[in-house]
Amino acid sequence: MSHPLRGRTAIVGIGNTRRWNAPDRSPFDQLQEASVLALEDSGLGLKDVDGLFCSLSTSGLPVLNVAERLGIRPRHADGTMVGGASFIFHLQSAMSALVNGLCDVALICYGSNQLTAGGKLASMPDPQPYENPYKPRYPISSYALAAARHMHEHGTTREHLADVAVAARAWAQLNPDAFMREPLTREQVLASRMVSDPLSKADCCLVTDGGAALVLTRADRARDLPRKPAYLLGTGIGISHRQISAMPDLTTTAAVESGQRAYAMAGVGPQDIQHLMLYDAFTINTLLFLEDLGFCKKGEAGPMVSSGAISPGGRLPVNTNGGGLSCNHPGMYGLFTVIEAVEQLRGQCGARQIPGVQLALAHANGGVLSSQATAIMGSEDTL
């Protein structure tokens, strides 16, 4: 018997400001523009929104601020904050709220001016007691620790990590909206300035501005709206720690749990996925999530990437917009993984379009490999 949430809701509108360097726009400006774009895309209006889901790193009371800014009075809202994975947490919450009649039209939205507000590595917002005395560079020192352990246990090399960045850049070169489109070689990544060993500057995501939004409604209504719906087939979340020193295993993330839950709800497996979006805040992320989501065995992701498997023309299209490494990364990137998956399902991706995509997976990460969230979306043929 299928899961009661499977295919009952759909993404019917997407909004992406594509303003990666916008010094005249605040986080709320970016969020508002993305929300209006998503609603226009869906054929609905602000007056229709009765479910609000949002999180901003710059706001302690995001739901209140956003509702006021947009001029809406939602009857259901969720401001869960678990870092960059927040928005797929919101997606799961919105699915349940829609199916159970708590709202009829859900808006998930985000905005950031991280680049033009300064664009530097932020100090830890909530210092962790067992790590703060050592003055780590937050968050990169934590990801570097995971990368070093993966190298130690599985023979992963800096060349493997570099090839993740190279693959992302190759996809970005097919995306006219990507922030970084210049050619990038393995040698250039390896020669890049070391930031936190073994991660260099080129192993780190971009720092950009940007805004993104999704509009969701129930599947029966979605069919009457202008855009081809992206049906939500399965979601899953996982939380394993806050500070990296409390991570149970530095080479295995809670994506194992979030992925298994999403696959179970959707009734599919990794072998069925035709398009994959992974939250690549750092190059090690892509390797960890390929393994933990079941696309290869533990320790095999490095050689898999270096074989060309995730590059344009490879057997598994990954991060086809260029990812956080080359397209954009405005602090919290999770919504953008979903937007690219929806655009691929709609066939709107131009030179980077993967032919015949009917089943796509978007995965997001938050904190320091702390929160993981997975969403599987499909076309009408997958219902």
Side-chain angles (χ1 to χ4, degrees):
M1 188 173 71
S2 66
H3 193 282
L5 293 182
R6 185 190 191 277
R8 298 281 302 282
T9 59
I11 297 168
V12 295
I14 54 176
N16 183 352
T17 67
R18 297 178 171 85
R19 296 183 188 273
W20 312 139
N21 186 354
D24 58 335
R25 292 180 181 253
S26 72
F28 289 105
D29 292 335
Q30 291 268 12
L31 178 149
Q32 183 173 25
E33 181 182 357
S35 299
V36 171
L37 289 171
L39 286 162
E40 289 177 345
D41 186 56
S42 72
L44 299 169
L46 280 168
K47 67 182 188 308
D48 299 304
V49 176
D50 58 355
L52 177 61
F53 303 79
C54 57
S55 182
L56 292 91
S57 58
T58 52
S59 173
L61 299 170
V63 166
L64 303 185
N65 283 309
V66 171
E68 181 176 273
R69 177 65 179 261
L70 298 180
I72 60 176
R73 298 186 64 153
R75 60 190 178 101
H76 184 76
D78 185 346
T80 296
M81 173 54 155
V82 289
S86 298
F87 311 106
I88 297 183
F89 276 63
H90 295 164
L91 199 64
Q92 179 167 281
S93 179
M95 290 168 63
S96 182
L98 287 163
V99 168
N100 287 290
L102 298 178
C103 63
D104 295 319
V105 174
L107 173 67
I108 305 174
C109 48
Y110 173 69
S112 168
N113 65 342
Q114 186 179 15
L115 172 61
T116 54
K120 296 180 180 179
L121 282 171
S123 59
M124 189 178 290
D126 50 344
Q128 301 301 297
Y130 301 111
E131 299 178 5
N132 198 47
Y134 299 95
K135 302 187 183 307
R137 299 197 74 180
Y138 184 83
I140 186 172
S141 294
S142 299
Y143 287 89
L145 189 63
R149 189 66 190 178
H150 202 275
M151 290 176 162
H152 174 74
E153 288 193 10
H154 301 294
T156 302
T157 65
R158 285 199 64 218
E159 286 77 10
H160 292 145
L161 294 171
D163 289 341
V164 171
V166 171
R169 184 62 58 86
W171 283 113
Q173 290 180 297
L174 300 176
N175 179 8
D177 295 317
F179 191 62
M180 294 292 289
R181 302 186 69 207
E182 296 81 4
L184 183 68
T185 66
R186 175 195 278 186
E187 290 69 31
Q188 287 174 310
V189 178
L190 295 175
S192 180
R193 175 175 57 85
M194 188 64 68
V195 180
S196 190
D197 194 5
L199 299 180
S200 72
K201 185 176 185 293
D203 289 293
C204 303
C205 65
L206 302 173
V207 177
T208 71
D209 302 333
L214 305 174
V215 177
L216 288 73
T217 191
R218 286 183 286 276
D220 54 357
R221 185 178 186 183
R223 295 183 179 92
D224 298 327
L225 295 173
R227 294 294 189 182
K228 178 182 177 182
Y231 294 96
L232 290 162
L233 306 180
T235 56
I237 65 170
I239 296 173
S240 55
H241 59 278
R242 173 60 184 97
Q243 51 192 347
I244 199 73
S245 57
M247 187 174 179
D249 179 344
L250 286 168
T251 67
T252 302
T253 74
V256 172
E257 299 160 32
S258 69
Q260 288 173 350
R261 291 163 185 158
Y263 291 137
M265 186 186 294
V268 302
Q271 71 280 359
D272 302 306
I273 302 299
Q274 299 165 306
H275 174 250
L276 183 59
M277 290 298 298
L278 302 176
Y279 194 120
D280 55 343
F282 301 92
T283 51
I284 186 61
N285 292 38
T286 300
L287 302 187
L288 290 171
F289 300 150
L290 283 169
E291 295 169 355
D292 293 347
L293 293 170
F295 293 95
C296 62
K297 293 180 181 178
K298 183 56 64 178
E300 294 182 356
M304 174 184 170
V305 169
S306 291
S307 75
I310 72 169
S311 301
R315 62 180 174 84
L316 181 64
V318 175
N319 294 345
T320 50
N321 63 343
L325 290 167
S326 283
C327 180
N328 70 293
H329 197 296
M332 295 164 65
Y333 175 70
L335 262 183
F336 295 93
T337 68
V338 179
I339 285 175
E340 176 71 9
V342 172
E343 289 188 318
Q344 286 284 346
L345 286 165
R346 290 180 176 181
Q348 296 178 326
C349 291
R352 68 185 190 279
Q353 178 65 46
I354 308 305
V357 173
Q358 294 188 336
L359 203 60
L361 185 152
H363 180 80
N365 159 81
V368 287
L369 298 170
S370 311
S371 61
Q372 305 297 329
T374 309
I376 298 172
M377 291 151 280
S379 65
E380 191 159 11
D381 292 339
T382 64
L383 295 178

